[in-house]
Amino acid sequence: LMKLDAGAIKGFKSAEEINAMMRAAPDWSPAWKPGTTVAQATIKPGTTVRMVVDEAAFRSMEAGKLERAFGGWATFGDVPDLAYARNQLALTSGMKSSSSALYVVEVQITKSINAQVGVVGEQGVAAGGGNQLHFFMPRDERKSTLRYVGSSGRILK
């Protein structure tokens, strides 16, 4: 919600309502901080966000092979280090393996995209509290909607 210039807000839902839907879906965990509001938004083209990706995805981006490089989650905020990614963004080793290096990359949105925007909820021992976007688009559309900002990637330590 801190980047109101990133698009148009279409409505709001409680984190509890969205988390309940996530619990009912196979292979999903509640992602939003209880007691907060999640914005239903359209993010406009030209908006830059950050993603934390594993080494394979980073190498694919660097090589221009984007078929499976982009995930469905991002943040408006800076990701200063690995501890922030693991704790405030609640990226558990089940989501991003602890055996692979993690990188933060800048990604530019090239077409309007619907997303939820809100506060990261806890996952296991990770407290959450950072901001996150959850994109609503099929994986196959990500390569034509998201663009890796070249040379923006850096390893998280």
Side-chain angles (χ1 to χ4, degrees), residues 88-102:
Q88 279 72 30
L89 297 180
L91 294 177
T92 66
S93 59
M95 295 172 200
K96 304 279 185 196
S97 174
S98 56
S99 65
S100 171
L102 295 182

Side-chain angles (χ1 to χ4, degrees), residues 3 10 13 25 44 54 59 63 65 75 80 95 98 106-107 114 117 119 121 123-125 128 133 146 152 157:
K3 279 228 172 193
K10 299 188 292 187
K13 290 189 176 181
K44 70 181 180 182
D54 63 20
R59 298 292 174 213
K65 298 176 183 178
T75 183
M95 295 172 200
S98 56
E106 289 187 358
V107 175
N114 290 324
V117 181
V119 180
Q123 295 287 328
V125 297
L133 295 89
L146 304 172
S152 70
K157 296 183 179 193

Side-chain angles (χ1 to χ4, degrees), residues 31-33 87-90 118-123 127-132:
W32 306 99
K33 183 176 181 167
N87 295 312
Q88 279 72 30
L89 297 180
V119 180
V120 179
E122 69 179 45
Q123 295 287 328
N131 71 75
Q132 67 184 353

Side-chain angles (χ1 to χ4, degrees), residues 28-143:
W28 282 91
S29 296
W32 306 99
K33 183 176 181 167
T36 64
T37 301
V38 178
Q40 309 295 312
T42 300
I43 309 299
K44 70 181 180 182
T47 302
T48 300
V49 296
R50 289 163 195 82
M51 284 187 179
V52 175
V53 298
D54 63 20
E55 187 165 10
F58 176 69
R59 298 292 174 213
S60 293
M61 287 178 192
E62 289 281 292
K65 298 176 183 178
L66 305 178
E67 288 74 24
R68 307 292 283 173
F70 298 111
W73 298 80
T75 183
F76 284 124
D78 183 34
V79 184
D81 54 35
L82 184 59
Y84 182 90
R86 291 288 187 199
N87 295 312
Q88 279 72 30
L89 297 180
L91 294 177
T92 66
S93 59
M95 295 172 200
K96 304 279 185 196
S97 174
S98 56
S99 65
S100 171
L102 295 182
Y103 293 75
V104 62
V105 297
E106 289 187 358
V107 175
Q108 189 172 64
I109 295 166
T110 62
K111 299 176 186 172
S112 292
I113 182 172
N114 290 324
Q116 293 174 324
V117 181
V119 180
V120 179
E122 69 179 45
Q123 295 287 328
V125 297
N131 71 75
Q132 67 184 353
L133 295 89
H134 180 211
F135 298 123
F136 292 116
M137 76 171 90
R139 179 178 274 284
D140 294 343
E141 291 179 22
R142 294 177 190 163
K143 68 181 179 185

Side-chain angles (χ1 to χ4, degrees), residues 20-29:
M21 289 186 283
M22 294 178 96
R23 276 188 205 91
D27 301 323
W28 282 91
S29 296

